[in-house]
């Protein structure tokens, strides 16, 4: 939700705009001692005094003047950045420690501050984002004397924001630049954080987090753009960067001895004390398993698709089984949602649906091609022999849909989540629409439609901040009208940016071969993995009892 930049109860307004805003012909909110515009731009703020009718004429130049906020205090826009964006992308220094660095003449610092201001402006209606982005563009064009970690942070954070402001080419260019610059200075090595921190463990931790934020953004952007490889893996860039610590440790400055990726990869053999890692580390570990089991493998053969499903299921189950008990509720000790584990949980559900749908009973519709988020429908179905397991793949998808909608009902502000949640929600909603058409009936259909309303409402909440979310909502509604046969006279091409007139598909026929009704679950016990408490006979052609047999991962242990 958009927030006012200043608290009216603590700021005094007058009727005249300040001299600086009047001279620039911009709207002034008239807050004293310094208006929001001058505060954001760090300029002097001067108000002319009103001349009283019953006194002598005062000099025109009499004024009340306020100096800009000291650079050791965080500006309101930067505070908004930390409040809404930093928690799900925590690579910059914690707010309390940024104050100590923000006034230093360090290459890249002013660029980072400009990025923070721009992102913060997206979360308020009080300050227009356009002028701030223009200033950011100008700052990017200025050559830095040398590449610093702060410049890398600015590039990767702006890449994420640009992506969800629907500036995809700019986002990809910024991401590639961040990767190239990071590798050129050795940020992908363990020693970079040690040698470039000046002995400050908080700074060293920030550098480690920056490399891993690059890796995470690389995978997110590649997946959302339907690419089969991520840039770092495609370029065979190796990394031995240590893992981040817990968020409360980072924010307080109590940085422990960092753990290594090797320790994480061998956690199943470690003692109880040694097997506990940070939420950030568990997120990284999950993404690296996706990189190994999903990315780089074409889905053009039955063997590949089946292998991807089998290997990814095994990795996901292992990840969940080794997740410490204290992290299975997705809430921190202060009662707030753990944004990093929230991101990991949504990724689990989205990829479960992505990899299993091609082998499930949830048929694709040509209209799905209008989605800029959901994976493209495959050109044809796989051989019928593989559909003896269709019920199994369908069950896993339906469970993932339920878990994702439970995630969306958590008691937290939706805009605190990473904007990459937008495409994960869209992917799951499209599969849910297919289930409404091909699987659910009666009461189950009514329940599913309510959950789809929840997902669309979540997307619209993101749309208040991120322009691309508005586009995604339009796409989902177009798909829903076609799949559910609602308002079929409306054309899907109304939602195409270029004004093209039809939905293009690569398949001669996307109709699917009939699936034999095989009770595949009679010999398979998936209760622990899928979270079902009932029997699986409900997953026949009618799915009569489906919604009653799914357990919430938030009131219960998410590993069960």
């Amino acid at each position: 939700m958009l927030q006012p930049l200043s608290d009216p109860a603590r700021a005094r307004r007058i009727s005249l705009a300040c001299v600086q805003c009047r001279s620039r012909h911009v709207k002034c909110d008239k807050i004293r001692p310094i208006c929001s515009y001058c505060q954001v731009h760090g300029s002097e703020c001067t108000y002319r005094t009103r001349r009283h009718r019953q006194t002598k004429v005062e000099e025109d130049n009499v004024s009340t003047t306020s100096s800009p906020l000291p650079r050791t205090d965080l500006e309101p826009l930067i505070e908004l950045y930390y409040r809404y964006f930093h928690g799900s992308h925590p690579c910059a220094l914690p707010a309390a420690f940024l104050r100590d660095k923000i006034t230093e003449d360090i290459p890249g610092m002013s660029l980072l501050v400009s990025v923070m201001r721009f992102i913060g402006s997206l979360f308020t209606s009080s300050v227009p984002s356009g002028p701030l982005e223009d200033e950011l563009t100008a700052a990017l064009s200025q050559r830095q004397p040398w590449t610093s970690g702060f410049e890398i942070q600015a590039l990767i954070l702006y890449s994420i924001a640009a992506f969800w402001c629907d500036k995809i080419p700019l986002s990809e260019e910024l991401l590639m630049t961040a990767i190239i610059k990071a590798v050129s200075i050795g940020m992908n090595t363990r020693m970079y954080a040690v040698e470039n921190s000046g002995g400050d463990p908080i700074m060293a931790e920030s550098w480690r987090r920056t490399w891993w934020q690059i890796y995470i953004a690389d995978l997110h952007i590649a997946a959302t753009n339907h690419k089969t490889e991520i840039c770092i893996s495609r370029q065979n860039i190796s990394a031995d960067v240590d893992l981040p610590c817990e968020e409360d440790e980072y924010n307080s400055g109590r940085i422990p001895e960092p753990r290594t990726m090797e320790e994480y990869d061998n956690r199943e053999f470690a003692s109880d004390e040694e097997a506990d890692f940070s939420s950030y580390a568990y997120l990284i570990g999950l993404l690296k398993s996706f990189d190994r089991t999903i990315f780089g493998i074409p889905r053009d053969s039955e063997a590949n698709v089946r292998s991807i499903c089998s290997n990814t299921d095994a990795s996901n189950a292992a990840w969940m089984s080794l997740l410490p008990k204290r992290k299975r509720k997705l809430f921190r000790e202060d009662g707030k949602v753990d944004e990093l584990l929230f991101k990991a949980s949504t990724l689990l559900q989205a990829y479960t649906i992505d990899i299993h749908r091609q082998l499930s009973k949830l048929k694709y519709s040509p209209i799905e091609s209008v989605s800029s988020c959901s994976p493209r429908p495959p050109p044809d179905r796989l051989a019928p022999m593989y559909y003896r397991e269709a019920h199994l793949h369908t069950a896993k998808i339906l469970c993932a849909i339920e878990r994702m909608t439970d995630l969306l009902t958590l008691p937290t502000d939706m805009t605190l989540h990473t904007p990459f949640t937008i495409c994960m929600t869209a992917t799951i909603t499209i599969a849910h629409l297919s289930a409404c058409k091909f699987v659910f009936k009666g009461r189950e259909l009514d329940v599913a439609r309510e959950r789809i309303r929840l997902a669309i409402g979540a997307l619209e909440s993101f749309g208040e901040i991120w322009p691309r979310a508005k586009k995604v909502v339009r796409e989902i509604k177009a798909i829903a009208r076609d799949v559910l046969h609602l308002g079929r006279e409306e054309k899907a091409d109304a939602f195409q940016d270029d004004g093209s007139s039809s939905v293009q598909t690569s398949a001669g026929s996307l109709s699917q071969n009939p699936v034999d009704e095989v009770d595949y679950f009679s010999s398979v016990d998936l209760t622990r993995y899928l979270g079902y408490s009932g029997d699986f006979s409900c997953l026949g052609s009618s799915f009569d009892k489906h919604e009653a047999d799914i357990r919430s991962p938030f009131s219960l242990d998410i590993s069960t």
Side-chain angles (χ1 to χ4, degrees), residues 456 459-460 468-478:
I456 292 177
L459 292 173
E460 289 181 334
R468 190 173 180 188
K470 296 179 181 179
K471 175 182 177 182
V472 171
V473 170
R474 293 195 301 269
E475 295 165 352
I476 294 295
K477 290 181 178 180

Side-chain angles (χ1 to χ4, degrees), residues 230-473:
I230 68 174
C231 295
I232 290 174
S233 297
R234 186 174 67 246
Q235 300 296 328
N236 294 317
I237 298 172
S238 60
D240 61 355
V241 180
D242 291 335
L243 296 170
C245 64
E246 292 285 13
E247 298 311 293
D248 60 341
E249 294 171 331
Y250 186 42
N251 292 328
S252 67
R254 302 189 304 270
I255 310 298
E257 187 70 21
R259 308 293 298 278
T260 67
M261 198 71 226
E262 182 180 3
E263 289 176 313
Y264 177 88
D265 288 337
N266 292 295
R267 66 195 183 283
E268 66 271 30
F269 306 118
S271 64
D272 291 343
E273 297 79 15
E274 296 174 338
D276 198 359
F277 292 82
S278 69
S279 297
Y280 206 152
Y282 283 109
L283 172 61
I284 293 166
L286 180 65
L287 292 179
K288 287 184 76 68
S289 72
F290 288 152
D291 195 3
R292 289 189 294 265
T293 60
I294 298 176
F295 284 86
I297 305 174
R299 304 185 200 182
D300 55 359
S301 70
E302 294 89 344
N304 281 359
V305 174
R306 197 172 185 182
S307 175
I308 289 171
C309 289
S310 176
N311 293 336
T312 304
D313 285 350
S315 295
N316 292 351
W319 185 86
M320 293 184 71
S321 67
L322 294 175
L323 194 67
K325 186 176 181 179
R326 67 184 179 86
K327 291 188 176 293
R328 296 176 186 176
K329 301 293 184 181
L330 301 186
F331 284 90
R332 303 193 313 237
E333 292 183 359
D334 61 3
K336 296 181 180 179
V337 172
D338 186 323
E339 288 297 331
L340 300 175
L341 286 181
F342 177 89
K343 184 187 296 188
S345 298
T346 54
L347 282 163
L348 272 173
Q349 315 318 323
Y351 274 115
T352 296
I353 290 172
D354 176 35
I355 63 176
H356 284 283
R357 190 175 170 197
Q358 199 167 351
L359 296 174
S360 77
K361 298 177 69 175
L362 304 185
K363 302 176 185 179
Y364 293 90
S365 299
I367 187 66
E368 293 180 30
S369 295
V370 306
S371 172
S372 59
C373 281
S374 181
R376 297 289 180 261
D380 207 349
R381 292 298 302 264
L382 302 180
M385 63 176 288
Y386 287 92
Y387 295 106
R388 67 179 184 272
E389 302 177 2
H391 292 73
L392 169 63
H393 298 287
T394 303
K396 292 181 178 181
I397 290 174
L398 295 180
C399 181
I401 289 172
E402 293 284 344
R403 288 177 179 250
M404 182 65 180
T405 51
D406 284 337
L407 282 166
L408 297 178
T409 64
L410 289 177
T412 185
D413 186 343
M414 191 63 59
T415 56
L416 292 173
H417 302 321
T418 175
F420 287 107
T421 307
I422 295 166
C423 270
M424 290 185 276
T425 303
T427 296
I428 287 172
T429 303
I430 291 171
H432 210 170
L433 287 167
S434 178
C436 287
K437 182 175 182 179
F438 298 111
V439 174
F440 296 129
K441 298 178 181 178
R443 182 171 177 271
E444 290 80 9
L445 178 59
D446 293 338
V447 172
R449 289 287 297 272
E450 287 294 340
R451 289 177 173 266
I452 288 172
R453 292 183 185 103
L454 166 67
I456 292 177
L459 292 173
E460 289 181 334
S461 294
F462 280 112
E464 294 182 24
I465 309 299
W466 304 104
R468 190 173 180 188
K470 296 179 181 179
K471 175 182 177 182
V472 171
V473 170

